Amino acid sequence: QVQLVESGGGLVQPGGSLRLSCAASGIIFGNYAMGWYRQAPGKQRELVAGITRYGIPNLADSAKGRFTISRDNAKNTVYLQMNNLKSEDTAVYYCNARLISRWTDTTGYWGQGTQVTVSS
């Protein structure tokens, strides 16, 4: 069975930092591109950051300069380091595993999500 389990979300103040983790099981992790998507209430799910199986990152414009995506194949885990968080980053963040690095496609496997709330 395939499982993607996110962790690391929570409540932070604007300007703060969080590191999200997604632990994968049931897949050959090194064969998959991994991504972080988010969905705020009333809005469509959007890509935050993706990373290919070879470690090439792709960040949304809103994330550039603030967020970093990385992966540790030995731990079957992908991370999203989020710095200088803003209120507009508030959303449920979802982990995604896919065989093709086409980030606009809603393909592959999805985690259950972890809530990130940025508020004073």
Side-chain angles (χ1 to χ4, degrees), residues 7 15-16 20 23-24 30-31 37 42 63 70 72 75 89 91 102-103 107:
S7 61
L20 306 184
N31 289 345
Y37 294 73
S70 61
D72 187 339
K75 296 181 179 179
D89 295 317
R102 297 182 300 173
W103 305 113
T107 188

Side-chain angles (χ1 to χ4, degrees), residues 15-74:
S17 297
L18 285 174
R19 189 178 78 154
L20 306 184
S21 299
C22 172
S25 61
I27 61 172
I28 302 174
F29 187 77
N31 289 345
Y32 283 78
M34 303 296 297
W36 286 98
Y37 294 73
R38 69 187 182 191
Q39 187 167 27
K43 293 195 173 185
Q44 298 288 98
R45 188 172 297 188
E46 64 177 359
L47 174 72
V48 180
I51 187 166
T52 73
R53 67 189 72 181
Y54 305 111
I56 301 171
N58 179 261
L59 270 64
D61 288 342
S62 61
K64 291 178 180 176
R66 300 189 299 131
F67 296 0
T68 303
I69 188 169
S70 61
R71 63 190 296 160
D72 187 339
N73 287 358

Side-chain angles (χ1 to χ4, degrees), residues 90-108:
T90 296
V92 177
Y93 284 69
Y94 296 91
C95 180
N96 171 256
R98 61 182 66 208
L99 291 171
I100 303 173
S101 301
R102 297 182 300 173
W103 305 113
T104 58
D105 294 344
T106 57
T107 188

Side-chain angles (χ1 to χ4, degrees), residues 72-93:
D72 187 339
N73 287 358
K75 296 181 179 179
N76 288 176
T77 301
V78 63
Y79 304 94
L80 183 67
Q81 178 66 48
M82 304 188 293
N83 299 325
N84 192 24
L85 284 160
K86 306 176 184 297
S87 60
E88 50 263 46
D89 295 317
T90 296
V92 177
Y93 284 69

